[in-house]
Protein backbone atom coordinates (compact mmCIF):
# COMPACT_ATOMS: atom_id res chain seq x y z
CA UNK A 1 0.00 0.00 0.00
CA UNK A 2 1.19 3.55 -0.67
CA UNK A 3 1.82 5.13 2.74
CA UNK A 4 2.65 8.75 3.60
CA UNK A 5 4.80 8.46 6.72
CA UNK A 6 4.77 11.70 8.75
CA UNK A 7 7.00 12.95 11.60
CA UNK A 8 9.95 10.83 10.56
CA UNK A 9 13.45 11.13 11.94
CA UNK A 10 16.49 9.20 10.67
CA UNK A 11 15.92 6.46 13.27
CA UNK A 12 12.28 6.01 12.16
CA UNK A 13 13.33 5.71 8.53
CA UNK A 14 15.99 3.15 9.43
CA UNK A 15 13.72 0.85 11.47
CA UNK A 16 10.69 1.24 9.18
CA UNK A 17 12.66 0.56 5.99
CA UNK A 18 14.23 -2.57 7.47
CA UNK A 19 10.90 -3.95 8.71
CA UNK A 20 9.23 -3.17 5.37
CA UNK A 21 11.58 -5.44 3.38
CA UNK A 22 9.24 -8.46 3.40
CA UNK A 23 5.98 -6.48 3.09
CA UNK A 24 7.22 -4.04 0.42
CA UNK A 25 4.72 -1.28 1.11
CA UNK A 26 5.36 1.87 -0.89
CA UNK A 27 6.63 4.28 1.80
CA UNK A 28 7.18 8.00 1.30
CA UNK A 29 8.81 9.64 4.34
CA UNK A 30 7.91 13.19 5.36
CA UNK A 31 9.70 15.04 8.13
CA UNK A 32 6.83 17.44 9.03
CA UNK A 33 4.04 16.54 11.37
CA UNK A 34 0.63 15.80 9.95
CA UNK A 35 -1.86 18.61 10.55
CA UNK A 36 -4.33 20.69 8.52
CA UNK A 37 -1.47 22.49 6.75
CA UNK A 38 0.52 19.42 5.79
CA UNK A 39 -2.36 17.04 4.99
CA UNK A 40 -1.99 18.01 1.33
CA UNK A 41 1.27 16.01 1.25
CA UNK A 42 -0.83 12.85 1.61
CA UNK A 43 -2.99 13.51 -1.47
CA UNK A 44 -3.71 10.20 -3.21
CA UNK A 45 -2.09 8.13 -0.46
CA UNK A 46 -4.58 5.50 0.78
CA UNK A 47 -2.74 5.41 4.14
CA UNK A 48 -0.98 7.86 6.42
CA UNK A 49 1.35 6.76 9.21
CA UNK A 50 1.66 9.09 12.22
CA UNK A 51 3.15 9.44 15.71
CA UNK A 52 2.25 11.12 19.00
CA UNK A 53 2.45 14.79 17.94
CA UNK A 54 0.60 14.58 14.65
CA UNK A 55 -2.77 16.34 14.84
CA UNK A 56 -5.29 13.91 13.47
CA UNK A 57 -8.28 16.10 14.25
CA UNK A 58 -11.57 16.35 12.33
CA UNK A 59 -10.46 19.05 9.82
CA UNK A 60 -7.26 17.10 9.05
CA UNK A 61 -9.22 13.87 8.61
CA UNK A 62 -11.69 15.64 6.28
CA UNK A 63 -8.79 16.88 4.14
CA UNK A 64 -7.26 13.41 4.07
CA UNK A 65 -10.56 11.71 3.21
CA UNK A 66 -11.29 14.17 0.41
CA UNK A 67 -7.98 13.19 -1.23
CA UNK A 68 -8.39 9.44 -0.93
CA UNK A 69 -6.96 8.43 2.46
CA UNK A 70 -8.81 5.50 4.06
CA UNK A 71 -6.37 4.36 6.73
CA UNK A 72 -4.60 6.10 9.62
CA UNK A 73 -1.75 4.03 11.01
CA UNK A 74 -0.50 5.10 14.43
CA UNK A 75 3.09 4.19 15.33
CA UNK A 76 2.16 4.53 19.00
CA UNK A 77 -0.24 3.22 21.63
CA UNK A 78 -1.95 6.43 22.83
CA UNK A 79 -4.58 7.81 20.44
CA UNK A 80 -5.62 11.01 22.23
CA UNK A 81 -4.43 12.97 19.16
CA UNK A 82 -6.97 11.28 16.84
CA UNK A 83 -10.64 12.23 16.51
CA UNK A 84 -11.95 8.66 16.32
CA UNK A 85 -15.57 9.72 15.82
CA UNK A 86 -14.65 11.93 12.86
CA UNK A 87 -12.58 9.08 11.40
CA UNK A 88 -15.54 6.69 11.74
CA UNK A 89 -17.90 9.21 10.15
CA UNK A 90 -15.51 9.60 7.20
CA UNK A 91 -15.04 5.84 6.78
CA UNK A 92 -11.37 6.01 7.80
CA UNK A 93 -9.95 2.99 9.64
CA UNK A 94 -7.54 3.73 12.52
CA UNK A 95 -4.99 1.19 13.74
CA UNK A 96 -2.29 1.48 16.39
CA UNK A 97 0.58 -0.34 18.08
CA UNK A 98 -0.93 -1.20 21.46
CA UNK A 99 2.27 -2.44 23.09
CA UNK A 100 5.77 -1.84 21.87
CA UNK A 101 7.83 -0.96 24.84
CA UNK A 102 6.11 -1.62 28.16
CA UNK A 103 9.43 -2.70 29.69
CA UNK A 104 11.22 0.30 28.20
CA UNK A 105 8.70 2.79 29.62
CA UNK A 106 8.52 1.14 33.04
CA UNK A 107 12.32 0.94 33.21
CA UNK A 108 12.55 4.63 32.29
CA UNK A 109 10.12 5.48 35.10
CA UNK A 110 12.40 3.56 37.49
CA UNK A 111 15.36 5.49 36.07
CA UNK A 112 13.62 8.76 36.94
CA UNK A 113 12.84 7.47 40.46
CA UNK A 114 16.41 6.36 41.17
CA UNK A 115 17.98 9.47 39.67
CA UNK A 116 15.74 11.88 41.56
CA UNK A 117 16.01 10.00 44.84
CA UNK A 118 19.80 9.69 44.85
CA UNK A 119 20.30 13.02 43.00
CA UNK A 120 22.44 11.32 40.37
CA UNK A 121 21.75 14.17 37.91
CA UNK A 122 23.31 16.61 40.38
CA UNK A 123 26.14 14.31 41.43
CA UNK A 124 27.14 13.83 37.78
CA UNK A 125 27.74 17.54 37.34
CA UNK A 126 29.36 18.03 40.73
CA UNK A 127 31.96 15.31 40.25
CA UNK A 128 32.88 16.64 36.80
CA UNK A 129 33.59 20.01 38.43
CA UNK A 130 35.67 18.50 41.21
CA UNK A 131 32.94 19.06 43.81
CA UNK A 132 32.73 15.94 45.97
CA UNK A 133 30.53 17.43 48.69
CA UNK A 134 27.55 15.31 49.70
CA UNK A 135 25.47 18.26 50.94
CA UNK A 136 22.06 18.21 49.30
CA UNK A 137 22.45 14.67 47.93
CA UNK A 138 20.61 12.85 50.74
CA UNK A 139 18.23 10.19 49.45
CA UNK A 140 15.99 7.55 51.00
CA UNK A 141 15.81 3.76 50.86
CA UNK A 142 13.19 2.50 48.42
CA UNK A 143 12.87 -0.63 50.54
CA UNK A 144 9.50 -0.60 52.39
CA UNK A 145 8.39 2.66 50.76
CA UNK A 146 4.93 2.76 49.22
CA UNK A 147 4.53 3.22 45.48
CA UNK A 148 1.09 4.28 44.23
CA UNK A 149 0.49 3.22 40.63
CA UNK A 150 -2.33 4.94 38.75
CA UNK A 151 -3.24 2.78 35.76
CA UNK A 152 -2.20 -0.86 36.14
CA UNK A 153 -2.21 -2.01 32.53
CA UNK A 154 0.89 -3.25 30.77
CA UNK A 155 3.33 -0.55 31.89
CA UNK A 156 1.88 -0.03 35.37
CA UNK A 157 2.07 -3.76 36.07
CA UNK A 158 5.73 -3.97 35.01
CA UNK A 159 6.55 -0.96 37.17
CA UNK A 160 4.86 -2.80 40.05
CA UNK A 161 6.96 -5.89 39.40
CA UNK A 162 10.20 -3.89 39.36
CA UNK A 163 9.33 -1.86 42.47
CA UNK A 164 8.32 -5.07 44.27
CA UNK A 165 11.89 -6.20 43.59
CA UNK A 166 13.12 -3.16 45.51
CA UNK A 167 10.96 -4.26 48.47
CA UNK A 168 8.32 -1.57 48.02
CA UNK A 169 4.66 -1.82 49.05
CA UNK A 170 2.25 -1.30 46.17
CA UNK A 171 -0.97 0.68 46.13
CA UNK A 172 -2.96 0.84 42.91
CA UNK A 173 -5.83 2.66 41.31
CA UNK A 174 -7.48 1.68 38.02
CA UNK A 175 -10.99 1.48 36.65
CA UNK A 176 -10.32 -2.29 36.24
CA UNK A 177 -8.40 -4.46 38.68
CA UNK A 178 -5.41 -6.35 37.31
CA UNK A 179 -5.17 -9.74 39.07
CA UNK A 180 -1.45 -9.93 38.26
CA UNK A 181 -0.88 -6.73 40.24
CA UNK A 182 -2.93 -8.14 43.12
CA UNK A 183 -0.88 -11.37 42.95
CA UNK A 184 2.22 -9.21 43.58
CA UNK A 185 0.58 -7.98 46.78
CA UNK A 186 -0.67 -4.73 45.24
CA UNK A 187 -3.71 -3.29 47.01
CA UNK A 188 -6.37 -1.45 45.02
CA UNK A 189 -7.65 1.68 46.77
CA UNK A 190 -9.53 4.82 45.76
CA UNK A 191 -7.44 7.75 44.55
CA UNK A 192 -7.60 9.82 47.78
CA UNK A 193 -6.20 6.87 49.76
CA UNK A 194 -3.47 6.30 47.17
CA UNK A 195 -2.59 10.01 47.23
CA UNK A 196 -2.48 10.12 51.05
CA UNK A 197 -0.33 7.00 51.55
CA UNK A 198 2.14 6.86 48.66
CA UNK A 199 5.76 7.98 48.92
CA UNK A 200 6.02 7.72 45.13
CA UNK A 201 3.09 8.19 42.73
CA UNK A 202 3.59 6.99 39.16
CA UNK A 203 1.03 7.68 36.43
CA UNK A 204 0.34 5.00 33.81
CA UNK A 205 -3.27 5.59 32.74
CA UNK A 206 -4.19 6.98 29.31
CA UNK A 207 -5.13 10.61 28.76
CA UNK A 208 -8.92 10.80 28.53
CA UNK A 209 -11.44 13.48 29.56
CA UNK A 210 -11.67 11.67 32.94
CA UNK A 211 -7.90 11.65 33.55
CA UNK A 212 -7.16 15.17 32.24
CA UNK A 213 -5.43 17.09 35.08
CA UNK A 214 -5.80 14.11 37.40
CA UNK A 215 -3.02 15.74 39.40
CA UNK A 216 -4.43 19.20 40.13
CA UNK A 217 -4.41 21.45 43.19
CA UNK A 218 -7.14 19.37 44.85
CA UNK A 219 -5.12 16.17 44.40
CA UNK A 220 -1.96 17.91 45.61
CA UNK A 221 -3.80 18.85 48.83
CA UNK A 222 -4.39 15.14 49.44
CA UNK A 223 -0.88 13.85 48.78
CA UNK A 224 1.68 12.91 51.40
CA UNK A 225 4.06 15.85 51.92
CA UNK A 226 7.31 15.35 50.04
CA UNK A 227 5.87 12.84 47.58
CA UNK A 228 7.79 11.90 44.44
CA UNK A 229 5.55 12.29 41.39
CA UNK A 230 6.45 10.45 38.17
CA UNK A 231 4.66 10.88 34.83
CA UNK A 232 5.72 8.86 31.80
CA UNK A 233 2.19 8.64 30.38
CA UNK A 234 0.80 11.87 28.91
CA UNK A 235 1.57 15.45 29.92
CA UNK A 236 -1.99 16.62 30.44
CA UNK A 237 -2.52 14.13 33.28
CA UNK A 238 -0.80 16.85 35.30
CA UNK A 239 -1.86 20.47 35.78
CA UNK A 240 1.67 21.82 35.49
CA UNK A 241 0.94 25.18 37.08
CA UNK A 242 -0.57 23.44 40.15
CA UNK A 243 2.46 21.14 40.34
CA UNK A 244 4.80 24.14 40.21
CA UNK A 245 2.93 25.59 43.21
CA UNK A 246 3.26 22.18 44.93
CA UNK A 247 7.02 22.18 44.26
CA UNK A 248 7.40 25.74 45.55
CA UNK A 249 5.58 24.92 48.79
CA UNK A 250 7.55 21.68 49.24
CA UNK A 251 4.39 19.53 49.17
CA UNK A 252 5.85 17.80 46.13
CA UNK A 253 9.37 16.63 46.99
CA UNK A 254 10.43 15.40 43.55
CA UNK A 255 8.99 15.51 40.06
CA UNK A 256 10.11 13.25 37.21
CA UNK A 257 8.36 13.65 33.87
CA UNK A 258 8.96 12.26 30.40
CA UNK A 259 5.87 14.02 29.05
CA UNK A 260 4.59 17.59 29.24
CA UNK A 261 1.23 19.09 28.39
CA UNK A 262 2.63 21.49 25.74
CA UNK A 263 5.41 19.13 24.64
CA UNK A 264 4.44 19.19 20.97
CA UNK A 265 5.97 22.69 20.79
CA UNK A 266 9.27 21.39 22.15
CA UNK A 267 9.99 17.70 22.18
CA UNK A 268 11.82 15.71 19.48
CA UNK A 269 13.52 18.87 18.13
CA UNK A 270 16.92 20.47 18.84
CA UNK A 271 15.98 23.91 20.17
CA UNK A 272 19.30 24.51 21.92
CA UNK A 273 19.97 27.63 19.83
CA UNK A 274 16.48 29.09 20.27
CA UNK A 275 14.71 31.17 22.90
CA UNK A 276 12.12 28.89 24.45
CA UNK A 277 8.90 30.85 24.86
CA UNK A 278 7.11 28.47 27.23
CA UNK A 279 7.60 30.12 30.64
CA UNK A 280 5.87 27.29 32.53
CA UNK A 281 8.26 24.73 31.07
CA UNK A 282 11.22 27.01 31.73
CA UNK A 283 10.16 27.44 35.37
CA UNK A 284 10.03 23.65 35.75
CA UNK A 285 13.63 23.34 34.58
CA UNK A 286 14.83 25.64 37.39
CA UNK A 287 13.96 23.25 40.25
CA UNK A 288 16.83 21.05 41.47
CA UNK A 289 14.33 18.32 42.35
CA UNK A 290 12.72 18.16 38.91
CA UNK A 291 13.95 15.84 36.18
CA UNK A 292 12.54 16.14 32.67
CA UNK A 293 13.20 13.89 29.70
CA UNK A 294 11.76 14.63 26.25
CA UNK A 295 9.33 11.74 25.66
CA UNK A 296 12.10 9.17 25.38
CA UNK A 297 10.71 6.49 27.70
CA UNK A 298 9.69 4.34 24.72
CA UNK A 299 12.97 4.90 22.89
CA UNK A 300 14.71 1.52 22.85
CA UNK A 301 15.89 -0.52 19.88
CA UNK A 302 13.34 -3.21 20.81
CA UNK A 303 10.53 -0.65 20.76
CA UNK A 304 11.44 0.80 17.36
CA UNK A 305 11.69 -2.72 15.96
CA UNK A 306 8.30 -3.72 17.45
CA UNK A 307 6.64 -0.49 16.29
CA UNK A 308 7.84 -1.05 12.72
CA UNK A 309 6.85 -4.74 12.60
CA UNK A 310 3.36 -4.14 14.04
CA UNK A 311 2.82 -1.11 11.81
CA UNK A 312 3.35 -3.13 8.63
CA UNK A 313 1.38 -6.11 9.92
CA UNK A 314 -1.51 -3.69 10.61
CA UNK A 315 -1.28 -2.18 7.11
CA UNK A 316 -1.17 -5.64 5.50
CA UNK A 317 -4.19 -6.79 7.54
CA UNK A 318 -6.27 -3.85 6.34
CA UNK A 319 -4.99 -4.05 2.74
CA UNK A 320 -5.78 -7.75 2.50
CA UNK A 321 -9.21 -7.43 4.16
CA UNK A 322 -8.34 -9.33 7.35
CA UNK A 323 -9.70 -8.28 10.73
CA UNK A 324 -7.01 -6.15 12.35
CA UNK A 325 -6.78 -6.81 16.09
CA UNK A 326 -5.19 -3.38 16.55
CA UNK A 327 -8.02 -1.36 15.02
CA UNK A 328 -9.45 1.29 17.35
CA UNK A 329 -12.97 2.61 17.13
CA UNK A 330 -14.77 5.58 18.63
P1 LIG B 1 -2.67 -0.05 28.97
O1 LIG B 1 -3.87 0.19 28.14
O2 LIG B 1 -2.08 -1.43 29.01
O3 LIG B 1 -2.98 0.38 30.48
C1 LIG B 1 -3.66 1.56 30.81
C2 LIG B 1 -4.41 1.30 32.09
O4 LIG B 1 -5.05 2.53 32.48
C3 LIG B 1 -5.53 0.25 31.94
O5 LIG B 1 -5.41 -0.73 32.96
C4 LIG B 1 -6.81 1.07 32.08
O6 LIG B 1 -7.87 0.35 32.69
C5 LIG B 1 -6.33 2.20 32.98
N1 LIG B 1 -7.23 3.34 32.97
C6 LIG B 1 -8.04 3.79 31.98
N2 LIG B 1 -8.75 4.84 32.41
C7 LIG B 1 -8.36 5.08 33.68
C8 LIG B 1 -8.75 6.02 34.66
N3 LIG B 1 -9.67 6.94 34.40
N4 LIG B 1 -8.17 5.96 35.87
C9 LIG B 1 -7.22 5.01 36.14
N5 LIG B 1 -6.83 4.08 35.26
C10 LIG B 1 -7.40 4.11 34.05
O7 LIG B 1 -1.60 1.02 28.49
P2 LIG B 1 -0.01 0.96 28.71
O8 LIG B 1 0.62 0.28 27.57
O9 LIG B 1 0.28 0.52 30.08
O10 LIG B 1 0.33 2.51 28.54
C11 LIG B 1 -0.09 3.47 29.50
C12 LIG B 1 0.12 4.86 28.93
O11 LIG B 1 1.52 5.09 28.77
C13 LIG B 1 -0.46 5.07 27.52
O12 LIG B 1 -1.80 5.50 27.58
C14 LIG B 1 0.43 6.13 26.93
O13 LIG B 1 -0.19 7.39 27.11
C15 LIG B 1 1.70 6.07 27.77
N6 LIG B 1 2.90 5.72 27.01
C16 LIG B 1 3.95 6.57 27.10
C17 LIG B 1 5.13 6.27 26.41
C18 LIG B 1 6.35 7.15 26.52
O14 LIG B 1 7.28 7.00 25.71
N7 LIG B 1 6.43 8.05 27.47
C19 LIG B 1 5.19 5.11 25.61
C20 LIG B 1 4.07 4.27 25.56
C21 LIG B 1 2.93 4.59 26.27
Amino acid sequence: MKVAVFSTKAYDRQFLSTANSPTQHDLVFFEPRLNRDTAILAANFPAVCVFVHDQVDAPTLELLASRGTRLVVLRCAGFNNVDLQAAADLGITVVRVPAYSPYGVAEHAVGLILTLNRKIHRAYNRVREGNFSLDGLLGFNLHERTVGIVGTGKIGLILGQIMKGFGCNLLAYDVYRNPELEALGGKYVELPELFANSDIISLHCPLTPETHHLINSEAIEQIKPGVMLINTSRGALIDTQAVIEGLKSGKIGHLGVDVYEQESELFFEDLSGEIIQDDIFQRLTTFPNVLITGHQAFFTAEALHNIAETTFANISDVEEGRTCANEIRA
Side-chain angles (χ1 to χ4, degrees):
M1 191 181 283
K2 201 173 166 203
V3 189
V5 191
F6 284 86
S7 296
T8 56
K9 302 283 185 197
Y11 46 80
D12 296 306
R13 293 192 280 275
Q14 180 199 333
F15 279 86
L16 289 167
S17 298
T18 304
N20 189 37
S21 298
T23 39
Q24 291 290 313
H25 293 291
D26 182 3
L27 309 183
V28 177
F29 294 113
F30 295 106
E31 217 169 303
R33 294 174 183 172
L34 174 64
N35 56 36
R36 303 162 201 202
D37 299 326
T38 59
I40 186 72
L41 292 170
N44 302 319
F45 282 80
V48 295
C49 182
V50 297
F51 198 49
V52 291
H53 293 155
D54 294 282
Q55 285 168 22
V56 198
D57 52 13
T60 304
L61 286 163
E62 279 160 23
L63 287 167
L64 291 173
S66 70
R67 292 178 174 87
T69 297
R70 290 286 165 265
L71 176 62
V72 170
V73 185
L74 291 165
R75 307 198 295 279
C76 53
F79 47 85
N80 49 288
N81 55 335
V82 184
D83 187 330
L84 289 178
Q85 189 56 57
D89 295 343
L90 292 160
I92 293 179
T93 304
V94 183
V95 294
R96 67 170 179 146
V97 183
Y100 48 89
S101 188
Y103 286 96
V105 179
E107 288 167 12
H108 191 81
V110 176
L112 293 174
I113 292 169
L114 290 173
T115 306
L116 278 167
N117 176 23
R118 306 307 299 268
K119 282 79 173 168
I120 294 168
H121 53 310
R122 303 186 67 197
Y124 173 81
N125 287 323
R126 280 192 192 186
V127 169
R128 286 165 70 93
E129 289 177 8
N131 174 358
F132 304 104
S133 159
L134 298 184
D135 288 335
L137 300 186
L138 190 68
F140 57 84
N141 284 359
L142 289 174
H143 187 250
E144 293 195 344
R145 294 282 174 161
T146 298
V147 181
I149 305 174
V150 181
T152 54
K154 291 176 285 297
I155 297 169
L157 173 65
I158 295 167
L159 182 84
Q161 291 167 339
I162 299 172
M163 298 317 290
K164 189 75 193 167
F166 281 108
C168 294
N169 306 312
L170 304 178
L171 291 179
Y173 174 77
D174 197 306
V175 286
Y176 299 105
R177 286 176 179 227
N178 184 339
E180 286 186 76
L181 198 278
E182 289 183 305
L184 281 177
K187 184 180 166 210
Y188 279 90
V189 293
E190 290 304 313
L191 270 182
E193 193 177 337
L194 183 145
F195 289 151
N197 293 298
S198 299
D199 300 295
I200 299 169
I201 298 172
S202 196
L203 306 178
H204 300 286
C205 56
L207 175 63
T208 63
E210 293 75 44
T211 60
H212 183 263
H213 286 187
L214 183 92
I215 303 296
N216 55 16
S217 41
E218 205 180 301
I220 293 167
E221 295 243 313
Q222 299 169 39
I223 57 175
K224 199 166 171 177
V227 73
M228 180 186 289
L229 178 62
I230 303 292
N231 186 12
T232 57
S233 190
R234 285 291 180 268
L237 295 179
I238 285 183
D239 176 347
T240 314
Q241 192 58 60
V243 164
I244 287 173
E245 294 309 317
L247 285 160
K248 283 164 75 177
S249 71
K251 192 83 195 279
I252 297 174
H254 302 87
L255 174 71
V257 294
D258 184 53
V259 286
Y260 169 63
E261 191 163 6
Q262 309 302 334
E263 70 175 48
S264 64
E265 305 296 318
L266 304 169
F267 289 4
F268 301 149
E269 304 304 330
D270 179 0
L271 304 180
S272 53
E274 315 235 341
I275 307 297
I276 291 178
Q277 300 294 332
D278 184 334
D279 292 343
I280 295 179
F281 183 82
Q282 290 301 79
R283 179 66 179 103
L284 268 188
T285 64
T286 66
F287 293 97
N289 51 350
V290 170
L291 184 56
I292 308 172
T293 52
H295 208 138
Q296 70 170 84
F298 76 98
F299 197 57
T300 64
E302 290 83 354
L304 292 192
H305 172 78
N306 292 340
I307 288 171
E309 296 258 303
T310 308
T311 293
F312 296 122
N314 287 343
I315 296 170
S316 296
D317 279 348
V318 175
E319 186 176 38
E320 289 158 29
R322 291 189 293 272
T323 306
C324 180
N326 297 327
E327 182 175 345
I328 38 174
R329 296 169 197 272

